[in-house]
Amino acid sequence: MTVLSPGPTRTDLVRNVVVALLAVAQVLVAAVAGDTVGTVAREYPSPLLAAGWAFAAWVPIYVGFVGYAVFQALPAQRARQAHRTTGWWMAASAVFNMGWVLSFGAGWLPLAQLMLIGLLVSITLVFGRYCRMPAESVVERVVARGPVALYAGWVCMATPMGTAATGVWIGLPGTGALAAIAAVVVLLAVTATVSWAVLSGTAVVPFAIAVMWALVGTALNDPPEAVVVAGAIALVVVLAATARRISTAGFPVRAAWG
């Protein structure tokens, strides 16, 4: 039986407006920051640093966030329980994103890492809650579930990248055998985590695409051979987990797209 939510409340309207404003604000912050994040990242290279072109993933992420912001503010969407349980966390993710961009671009890597962890927690929490609630329409899959899954997958990989850069910032080696071994261990651990998320989640296609995009970007950025091999293994594992999740799901479309 479907449980109908009461009509929009003042809290709903405030949440709608806050999410919409923050969606625009984070795009503006990213535009003003330009390539400062990439410039700083290249100053603290590690075997987990993805190639510059891989960071183009932020373009569909930001576009998707704006689409989500418009969607959740529509009159028919404002009072839905799905938005009530995720909207403020989406707002938090935008705040953490802006904090990360500004602090990383300024070279304050420890603070940026804290912002990135906050972003990871908030966006994966939204992703997890969406996994427990089926989408009501194709439009919702395209403008809400898909962008959130893509965002979550990318941040799951961006967090260890940021951690590696922060490690170099504090004086840990970014090259050599020790750095390569650490990178392989981190890659395998992250692969296990994201594969679990794929096997138990929904909208796993965009989530897995973001993860694999980051893995390819890392493997093609001239890391040590051991990291390339670990990345190739990770690609196969994530792809296999995605295929298994969809093929064994009772509702394959929901498993794939939310």
Side-chain angles (χ1 to χ4, degrees):
M1 181 176 64
T2 302
V3 179
L4 298 177
S5 301
T9 65
R10 182 175 297 177
T11 300
D12 291 325
L13 296 176
V14 169
R15 186 191 66 249
N16 295 152
V17 172
V18 169
V19 169
L21 291 176
L22 288 174
V24 175
Q26 70 175 355
V27 172
L28 293 176
V29 167
V32 171
D35 190 43
T36 56
V37 170
T39 300
V40 172
R42 288 187 288 272
E43 293 177 359
Y44 303 98
S46 78
L48 290 180
L49 178 63
W53 53 261
F55 292 91
W58 283 110
V59 174
I61 286 172
Y62 285 136
V63 171
F65 200 113
V66 171
Y68 158 82
V70 172
F71 178 72
Q72 59 91 41
L74 296 175
Q77 297 294 323
R78 291 174 184 168
R80 282 188 57 205
Q81 190 63 23
H83 302 311
R84 287 175 171 171
T85 59
T86 62
W88 288 115
W89 287 107
M90 287 294 284
S93 76
V95 173
F96 284 124
N97 175 275
M98 290 184 287
W100 169 72
V101 169
L102 294 173
S103 54
F104 197 97
W108 303 336
L109 269 63
L111 177 58
Q113 187 63 23
L114 292 176
M115 295 293 105
L116 191 54
I117 292 171
L119 173 56
L120 174 68
V121 170
S122 55
I123 199 64
T124 54
L125 191 149
V126 175
F127 176 67
R129 291 188 175 183
Y130 271 160
C131 287
R132 298 192 293 271
M133 299 179 288
E136 290 191 343
S137 66
V138 173
V139 173
E140 183 174 348
R141 289 190 175 109
V142 172
V143 301
R145 306 306 176 95
V148 166
L150 188 75
Y151 202 169
W154 175 254
V155 175
C156 282
M157 302 305 296
T159 301
M161 291 183 207
T163 302
T166 302
V168 176
W169 184 90
I170 65 177
L172 296 178
T175 58
L178 184 59
I181 292 170
V184 169
V185 171
V186 169
L187 267 180
L188 296 178
V190 172
T191 299
T193 302
V194 299
S195 296
W196 170 82
V198 167
L199 290 170
S200 60
T202 61
V204 297
V205 169
F207 180 89
I209 286 174
V211 170
M212 291 189 291
W213 178 264
L215 288 170
V216 171
T218 301
L220 295 183
N221 198 33
D222 198 27
E225 289 185 6
V227 176
V228 175
V229 172
I233 293 172
L235 275 170
V236 173
V237 171
V238 173
L239 187 60
T242 304
R244 178 173 176 77
R245 174 68 178 112
I246 296 171
S247 64
T248 61
F251 299 95
V253 172
R254 184 183 173 223
W257 304 106

